[in-house]
Amino acid sequence: MPASASANIGVVGLAVMGSNLARNLASREGNTVAVFNRSPERTRTLTSEHPEAGFVASEGYDDFVASLAKPRTAIIMVQAGKGTDAVISELVARFEPGDIIVDGGNANFHDTIRREGEIAPTGIHFVGTGISGGEEGALNGPSIMPGGSAESYETLGPILASIAAIAEGEPCVTHVGTDGAGHFVKMVHNGIEYADMQLIAEAYDLIRQGTGKSPAEIADIFAEWNTGELESYLIEITAEVLRQTDASTGRPLVDVILDEAGAKGTGAWTVQNALDLGVPTSGIAEAVFARSLSSKRAQREAASDLPGPAQAWTVADGDADAFIEDVRLALYASKIIAYSQGFDEIIAGAEQYGWDVKKGDIAKIWRAGCIIRARFLNRIADAYADDPALVALVVAPYFRDAVAGAQEAWRRVVAIAAQSGIPTPAFSSSLAYYDGLRAQRLPAALIQGQRDFFGAHTYKRIDKEGVFHTLWSGDHSEIETTPSSH
């Protein structure tokens, strides 16, 4: 039983992420960490294996709460959903006004908004917080995206800064915005992560099918790419995965892993909320759908003998280096589109929910600790510093020039993939989005005409103000009308 209220921070939920976060907190000067888990065995294991941490351990909620100094601050690291609600209920029953409950799990931001609204009347602060970096990040320094009130951040901010990853001397944490802002931004981070991983997988597949190079040889290519503008955590680990040999078969590990990609929902949430917000995130959506398609084993087997290109395609020996460079450029251009779409969604979400999200700060806290950390996040921060009202990331001078320099290679890669029957949904959709964005005129005019024909949905004209409808079932004359609600 704790002797006194000596801990400035507590952690509830001691699975791998919670345990590593507690150890990270305990390793930082000034922190004393209280720990609690529903099953006491896990608490005992953590404290016995890491006596150096000086954990204040409890086996019941009453003792855990008593061990926390005021204002009490506790981070919940349990499974999202009912488990989180159960822990919140226990803490709310024991906490007092001014105390802080932090949800560090992958919660749906709508749930965070609901929970904050339910808890606010008690005077207790509820802070939905995105934490990225996986098990290693939790232990050594994650990227942290807290929401909640400005008042709660005065207490919580220094604690989170003490454990966050450091990029160029700055802790990778910022107060994202109120209520669900932190979990919203973490959701979009994960959506970008889906797109980035799919693009890398497509690049690997193109090089392997086009050149016949082995996974180990392609690992060397990715390692080389990681020294330039594509430098990132995901490119780095891709090279490691491709170099790995399976101990039991002697084959490349990538060749014995079942080609069905799992997902935990945040990518789908990103796309669903983008649809609700009216923001095109086609690269992220295609990455999510590609994982879904990979898991449709029965359908894929049934369709395996469907006709494809009449002749298999490979790159001529002398052209391999040029093709690989085209793939690199296509990957970089598509990656820029993924981030541009992701930031579009963050901007739209902030406007919809009344959050003061500073885009450049988000880019900065993603520079270290998180899964999508990459060299060019500094370029994103610079772009928003130069123009806080930037209408789209891809039109910022640096990114405009980067895509301009890559677009011919990008087009060649997408064309070759289509002609060869190699699926590149993320490359292709990203290019289509780019061309749609830059188009002087889109065929949406025809769609609006169709909508007016079958549903009297009305349309606007390019040559005069007002809203119009053609009497399609009458004499085809045009009348001015009020906008349709459909």
Side-chain angles (χ1 to χ4, degrees), residues 184-185 187-196 199 267 270-271 273-275 277-288 332-350 359 366 372 376 380 384 390-395 399 403 410 425-438:
F184 181 90
V185 168
M187 173 195 75
V188 175
H189 164 285
N190 285 21
I192 295 171
E193 178 185 312
Y194 273 61
D196 211 343
L199 290 166
T270 305
V271 177
N273 283 283
L275 290 170
L277 293 166
V279 178
T281 55
S282 50
I284 296 170
E286 288 297 343
V288 173
Y332 192 50
S334 298
K335 183 185 179 82
I336 290 169
I337 294 299
Y339 279 80
S340 187
Q341 291 180 347
F343 274 90
D344 284 349
E345 183 166 357
I346 290 172
I347 292 165
K359 287 87 69 177
W366 288 350
I372 64 172
F376 89 149
I380 296 177
Y384 284 116
L390 187 64
V391 69
L393 187 63
V394 72
V395 303
F399 295 108
V403 175
W410 196 8
F427 275 174
S428 303
S429 64
S430 298
L431 178 58
Y433 169 85
Y434 172 74
D435 283 336
L437 198 62
R438 68 178 192 82

Side-chain angles (χ1 to χ4, degrees), residues 65-339:
V65 172
S67 72
L68 294 170
K70 297 180 181 180
R72 302 179 185 91
T73 304
I75 302 176
I76 301 171
M77 298 296 292
V78 301
Q79 188 171 8
K82 293 181 180 179
T84 298
D85 282 322
V87 175
I88 290 171
S89 179
E90 296 284 0
L91 293 178
V92 167
R94 294 166 173 83
F95 273 22
E96 298 173 353
D99 291 346
I100 303 167
I101 299 173
V102 181
D103 177 9
N106 263 340
N108 187 308
F109 79 96
H110 291 293
D111 288 336
T112 304
I113 292 173
R114 169 184 60 80
R115 288 165 178 151
E116 196 274 342
E118 292 171 350
I119 294 169
T122 68
I124 297 168
H125 298 285
F126 181 74
V127 182
T129 299
I131 299 176
S132 179
E135 298 171 12
E136 179 185 349
L139 180 61
N140 298 315
S143 173
I144 311 176
M145 295 152 262
S149 67
E151 182 184 348
S152 67
Y153 194 69
E154 291 179 10
T155 298
L156 188 61
I159 298 172
L160 296 180
S162 76
I163 64 166
I166 301 296
E168 299 180 22
E170 298 176 308
C172 291
V173 58
T174 190
H175 183 221
V176 176
T178 55
D179 55 59
H183 278 143
F184 181 90
V185 168
K186 173 57 163 55
M187 173 195 75
V188 175
H189 164 285
N190 285 21
I192 295 171
E193 178 185 312
Y194 273 61
D196 211 343
M197 294 172 72
Q198 177 66 26
L199 290 166
I200 290 170
E202 290 177 15
Y204 154 75
D205 196 33
L206 282 162
I207 294 171
R208 189 159 189 195
Q209 293 204 49
T211 69
K213 290 184 180 294
S214 69
E217 290 172 320
I218 300 173
D220 291 340
I221 293 168
F222 275 91
E224 175 63 27
W225 287 358
N226 200 47
T227 64
E229 59 196 1
L230 280 171
E231 180 188 348
S232 66
Y233 173 71
L234 285 171
I235 293 288
E236 176 188 336
I237 68 168
T238 296
E240 289 200 37
V241 171
L242 291 176
R243 283 199 182 99
Q244 184 68 17
T245 299
D246 176 50
S248 61
T249 65
R251 299 173 61 191
L253 179 64
V254 72
D255 286 349
V256 299
I257 295 175
L258 186 66
D259 59 336
E260 295 181 10
K264 290 189 175 180
T266 47
W269 292 349
T270 305
V271 177
Q272 289 162 356
N273 283 283
L275 290 170
D276 291 340
L277 293 166
V279 178
T281 55
S282 50
I284 296 170
E286 288 297 343
V288 173
F289 292 142
R291 292 197 190 189
S292 299
L293 180 62
S294 76
S295 69
K296 303 297 182 186
R297 178 62 56 184
Q299 288 183 341
R300 290 172 59 198
E301 289 177 353
S304 61
D305 61 350
L306 290 176
Q311 186 172 353
W313 163 83
T314 56
V315 177
D317 288 342
D319 297 332
D321 289 346
F323 174 68
I324 291 167
E325 175 61 8
D326 275 359
V327 173
R328 185 189 71 82
L329 290 168
L331 174 58
Y332 192 50
S334 298
K335 183 185 179 82
I336 290 169
I337 294 299
Y339 279 80

